Amino acid sequence: MLAPIAWATPPAAYGPWEQVTSHLTEGLVQRGIDVTLFATATSKTAAKLVATVAAGYAERAGQDPKVLEYLHISQVMGVAHEFDLVHNQFDFMPLGYGNLVDTPMVTTVHGFSSEQIVPVYEKYNDSTDYVSISDADRDDRIDYISTVYNGVDTRQFSFVDHPEDYLVYFGRIHPEKGAAEAIEIAQKSDMPLVMAGLVQDQAYFDERIAPHIDGDRVKYLGNVGPDERNRILGNAVALLHPISFEEPFGLSVAESMMTGTPVIAFNRGSMPELIEHGKTGYLTEDVDGAVDLVSACGDLNRWHVAEVARDCFSVERMVDGYISVYRTILDRKP
Amino acid sequence: MLAPIAWATPPAAYGPWEQVTSHLTEGLVQRGIDVTLFATATSKTAAKLVATVAAGYAERAGQDPKVLEYLHISQVMGVAHEFDLVHNQFDFMPLGYGNLVDTPMVTTVHGFSSEQIVPVYEKYNDSTDYVSISDADRDDRIDYISTVYNGVDTRQFSFVDHPEDYLVYFGRIHPEKGAAEAIEIAQKSDMPLVMAGLVQDQAYFDERIAPHIDGDRVKYLGNVGPDERNRILGNAVALLHPISFEEPFGLSVAESMMTGTPVIAFNRGSMPELIEHGKTGYLTEDVDGAVDLVSACGDLNRWHVAEVARDCFSVERMVDGYISVYRTILDRKP
């Protein structure tokens, strides 16, 4: 398991790629699979840990990311022949080593940091198997073996049957995530809104969000931990997810559904894969469409919402998905 | 020949690593050696050119250097088995591939961009052979097979027997290169100074250099091309090189000597290797020491200076040095 090395695996706080890598690694170990995790020395795992670098380049200042990346990847590739399979969670950089080692490599495409990276993935279509994290996130130029959704640790979320009378926004405070639109939806629905998430665009927060925060109709709780996340998601009538970009996978959408709370989302990116319209939430096009749907959330069966989420977006389901991918690749091996 | 890809090989203007790579490549082809140059598509060579990227990341804006680097290096390594030897001119990044290919690799260490890179070189002591560009630039932690000095194209420099009455400074305008000290030496010696070079530190130029430029006692010509370089170096009584850092190799020192002009340098880095004190120039410790030596330059035999330079620092000598390294490596091969 070739982890990203921006952060520890699992990360202390932020670090979505490392988090998914950790969930998968621990899940595979629980199934009795012999896994070696190549990651930072700050990582924790029940697998064998091979620490390639002392600490992640995002968690300890003054390190040269380029030096760490090359050291990390070349260390894995140097011993790849000892393994049946290499699972690359660390973007395009390991791909160029693929032709030099006989061990098959599977690569999870967590996202494209720029359009310039796509041709690199395309170049190595024949030497690695790509996994997409949603069907929506696929690029026509790349060949995929499967889609495997990111898994959520279901133990961190408890089912709530009878919610309180508020809406919730949960995610980075950034225009593409629709924080301002969430406020507008709540105000037009005459419902209180609870907001939480890291401020990623301070100017946007100052201009579009802060003026509405009054601690009553609009509350902002900052970047919250797992317990508070569980509480504020679970007790809401609905999660508002009015995104304006093609989101590859909405982690907060899956998390909200785990607690039984349905999601009203703008119909972009992976949303139709995550949300069954009229069953686990609603897909709509704009603020007014969302306002019309707020009252309809009471009609949804929260137990069904949670059941679907646990069935589709759990760590266990993700582990099943990757084991199936591994089997396909290994059966193909001469 | 794995070239750097910041610039074309050879570079249109600045690009010292690419320039040395080009000189070596063309020199090897002239000796009848079958060379394939892996470089930007903007490169020109008498060798076989394999263009791995359209243009260098420093010569065409908007490209992701990381993407280009990985594509470039992995393309070379993917076909390394077709060659007797890979010569890596592109820093530490190719080193991690060395264990994955059977073809021996020789790496020229052009410089350490940061202290963090040294342990990477150290890690691969056993899987590549390192060449230093001067004995002074060696690091104790790294094993070297040889020192090969950078080669200067002697055809670009003509010998001048009777210089005019001025001193010259030639190099980047930067504190470590000693541009301000050169002015001080010239003023205390009551000699005119001609200066040329790229302004690399604008504040330093504005504060320490510009106030002295009067077009008479201190002239600054900007960043000059080969013809003017030859003219201003050749007609000077001496090149002033009052550096304050451990310079790995002083290209302008070698170039000046090609024209017969001796060099007065501060005794740092590779200077004692480049300059034979009392024969091809003088080594000293400070401004006053340099002032005392200016009049002594007339005692030196300019023809001898040029002869030593052409013998030690020509492209031909560099090609000899690398062919000798290649032979040592290939003879060792089982």
Side-chain angles (χ1 to χ4, degrees), chain A residues 70 74 97, chain B residues 73 77 88 91-100 105 107 117 120-122 124 127-128 130:
Chain A
Y70 276 97
S74 65
Y97 295 78
Chain B
I73 297 167
M77 295 303 166
N88 164 33
D91 212 342
F92 72 90
M93 294 86 75
L95 301 176
Y97 294 78
N99 290 327
L100 304 172
M105 177 156 69
T107 297
I117 288 172
V120 185
Y121 282 101
E122 186 180 10
Y124 294 104
S127 63
T128 188
Y130 294 116

Side-chain angles (χ1 to χ4, degrees), chain A residues 17-324:
Chain A
W17 297 15
E18 287 83 355
Q19 184 60 70
V20 168
T21 302
S22 174
H23 282 330
L24 175 59
T25 302
E26 305 316 303
L28 291 169
V29 171
Q30 278 185 7
R31 306 282 180 98
I33 295 173
D34 181 10
V35 183
T36 302
L37 175 68
F38 292 82
T40 66
T42 51
S43 300
K44 289 193 179 67
T45 180
K48 290 175 203 148
L49 175 65
V50 175
T52 55
V53 299
Y57 52 78
E59 64 183 355
R60 187 175 299 171
Q63 301 188 102
D64 184 338
K66 186 170 159 179
V67 167
L68 268 52
E69 281 179 13
Y70 276 97
L71 282 176
H72 176 61
I73 297 168
S74 65
Q75 187 157 344
V76 179
M77 294 302 165
V79 294
H81 59 275
E82 299 173 13
F83 297 90
D84 297 307
L85 193 74
V86 173
H87 191 153
N88 165 32
Q89 302 275 3
F90 196 24
D91 212 340
F92 73 90
M93 295 87 74
L95 300 177
Y97 295 78
N99 290 327
L100 304 172
V101 298
D102 291 330
T103 310
M105 175 156 69
V106 56
T107 297
T108 298
V109 184
H110 288 284
F112 303 111
S113 58
S114 91
E115 172 62 25
Q116 293 185 40
I117 289 172
V118 180
V120 186
Y121 281 99
E122 186 181 9
K123 178 176 178 181
Y124 295 104
N125 268 330
D126 292 336
S127 64
T128 187
D129 282 286
Y130 293 116
V131 173
S132 46
I133 61 169
S134 68
D135 293 339
D137 195 43
R138 291 190 170 199
D139 186 287
D140 284 347
R141 290 161 287 183
I142 303 176
D143 300 333
Y144 298 90
I145 187 171
S146 184
T147 287
V148 179
Y149 295 126
N150 289 337
V152 171
D153 182 356
T154 57
R155 295 167 303 180
Q156 297 186 342
F157 299 91
S158 41
F159 176 67
V160 176
D161 204 2
H162 298 289
E164 298 168 23
D165 192 39
Y166 70 87
L167 301 170
V168 63
Y169 170 90
F170 197 95
R172 296 177 285 118
I173 310 294
H174 187 281
E176 69 179 14
K177 285 283 200 176
E181 286 77 5
I183 293 173
E184 209 182 331
I185 294 164
Q187 288 172 337
K188 289 192 172 180
S189 310
D190 200 23
M191 291 273 282
L193 179 68
V194 172
M195 308 182 78
L198 188 80
V199 174
Q200 208 177 41
D201 184 332
Q202 189 66 45
Y204 173 72
F205 179 80
D206 294 343
E207 286 167 33
R208 303 288 309 275
I209 310 304
H212 298 285
I213 300 171
D214 61 4
D216 177 30
R217 301 305 289 176
V218 179
K219 287 183 195 172
Y220 173 63
L221 307 180
N223 197 18
V224 305
D227 289 347
E228 201 163 7
R229 178 181 59 188
N230 178 41
R231 189 179 60 74
I232 64 168
L233 286 176
N235 289 296
V237 169
L239 174 78
L240 301 180
H241 202 66
I243 51 172
S244 61
F245 76 117
E246 307 303 322
E247 192 169 38
F249 187 84
L251 203 59
S252 64
V253 171
E255 291 169 345
S256 176
M257 288 162 56
M258 293 275 163
T259 70
T261 298
V263 183
I264 300 173
F266 285 2
N267 193 6
R268 303 288 297 267
S270 58
M271 291 304 113
E273 292 172 68
L274 287 161
I275 299 164
E276 199 184 350
H277 183 75
K279 296 279 187 183
T280 62
Y282 297 105
L283 300 168
T284 185
E285 301 302 325
D286 52 27
V287 167
D288 289 336
V291 172
D292 291 342
L293 290 162
V294 167
S295 59
C297 285
D299 303 339
L300 300 175
N301 181 338
R302 291 179 66 98
W303 184 254
H304 177 70
V305 173
E307 204 172 45
V308 168
R310 277 157 203 269
D311 189 40
C312 298
F313 309 116
S314 66
V315 169
E316 291 70 26
R317 180 64 178 262
M318 175 175 71
V319 173
D320 289 342
Y322 279 114
I323 288 177
S324 168

Side-chain angles (χ1 to χ4, degrees), chain B residues 1-318:
Chain B
M1 190 66 67
L2 197 172
I5 53 163
W7 307 97
T9 298
Y14 182 79
W17 297 15
E18 287 83 354
Q19 183 61 68
V20 168
T21 303
S22 175
H23 281 331
L24 175 58
T25 301
E26 305 315 304
L28 291 170
V29 170
Q30 279 185 7
R31 306 282 179 99
I33 295 173
D34 180 11
V35 183
T36 302
L37 175 68
F38 292 81
T40 65
T42 49
S43 299
K44 288 191 179 68
T45 180
K48 289 174 205 149
L49 175 65
V50 175
T52 56
V53 298
Y57 52 78
E59 62 183 354
R60 187 175 300 172
Q63 300 188 102
D64 184 339
K66 188 169 158 181
V67 167
L68 267 52
E69 280 178 14
Y70 276 98
L71 281 177
H72 175 60
I73 297 167
S74 65
Q75 185 157 345
V76 179
M77 295 303 166
V79 295
H81 59 277
E82 299 173 12
F83 297 90
D84 297 309
L85 192 76
V86 173
H87 191 154
N88 164 33
Q89 301 276 2
F90 196 28
D91 212 342
F92 72 90
M93 294 86 75
L95 301 176
Y97 294 78
N99 290 327
L100 304 172
V101 297
D102 293 329
T103 310
M105 177 156 69
V106 56
T107 297
T108 298
V109 184
H110 288 283
F112 303 111
S113 58
S114 93
E115 173 62 24
Q116 293 186 41
I117 288 172
V118 180
V120 185
Y121 282 101
E122 186 180 10
K123 179 176 178 183
Y124 294 104
N125 267 331
D126 293 335
S127 63
T128 188
D129 282 286
Y130 294 116
V131 172
S132 46
I133 60 169
S134 68
D135 293 340
D137 195 43
R138 290 190 171 199
D139 187 286
D140 284 346
R141 290 162 287 182
I142 303 176
D143 301 333
Y144 298 89
I145 187 170
S146 184
T147 287
V148 180
Y149 295 127
N150 289 336
V152 170
D153 183 355
T154 55
R155 294 168 303 180
Q156 296 185 343
F157 299 91
S158 40
F159 176 67
V160 176
D161 204 3
H162 298 288
E164 298 168 23
D165 192 39
Y166 70 89
L167 300 170
V168 62
Y169 170 91
F170 198 94
R172 296 177 284 118
I173 309 294
H174 187 281
E176 70 180 13
K177 284 284 198 175
E181 286 77 5
I183 292 173
E184 211 182 329
I185 294 165
Q187 288 171 337
K188 288 190 172 181
S189 310
D190 199 24
M191 290 274 281
L193 179 68
V194 173
M195 309 182 76
L198 189 79
V199 174
Q200 207 175 44
D201 184 330
Q202 188 65 47
Y204 174 73
F205 178 80
D206 294 343
E207 285 166 34
R208 303 287 309 276
I209 310 303
H212 297 286
I213 299 173
D214 59 5
D216 176 31
R217 301 305 288 175
V218 179
K219 286 184 196 172
Y220 172 63
L221 307 181
N223 197 17
V224 305
D227 287 347
E228 202 163 6
R229 177 181 61 190
N230 177 42
R231 189 179 61 73
I232 65 171
L233 286 176
N235 289 296
V237 168
L239 174 79
L240 301 180
H241 203 67
I243 51 172
S244 61
F245 75 117
E246 307 304 322
E247 192 169 39
F249 187 85
L251 204 58
S252 63
V253 171
E255 291 169 345
S256 175
M257 287 162 58
M258 293 277 162
T259 68
T261 298
V263 183
I264 299 173
F266 285 3
N267 193 5
R268 303 288 296 270
S270 57
M271 291 305 112
E273 292 172 68
L274 287 162
I275 298 163
E276 200 184 351
H277 182 77
K279 296 278 188 184
T280 61
Y282 296 105
L283 300 168
T284 185
E285 300 301 324
D286 51 28
V287 167
D288 290 335
V291 171
D292 291 342
L293 290 162
V294 167
S295 58
C297 284
D299 302 339
L300 300 176
N301 180 338
R302 290 179 66 99
W303 184 253
H304 176 72
V305 173
E307 201 171 46
V308 169
R310 277 157 202 269
D311 188 40
C312 297
F313 308 116
S314 66
V315 168
E316 291 69 28
R317 180 62 178 264
M318 174 174 72

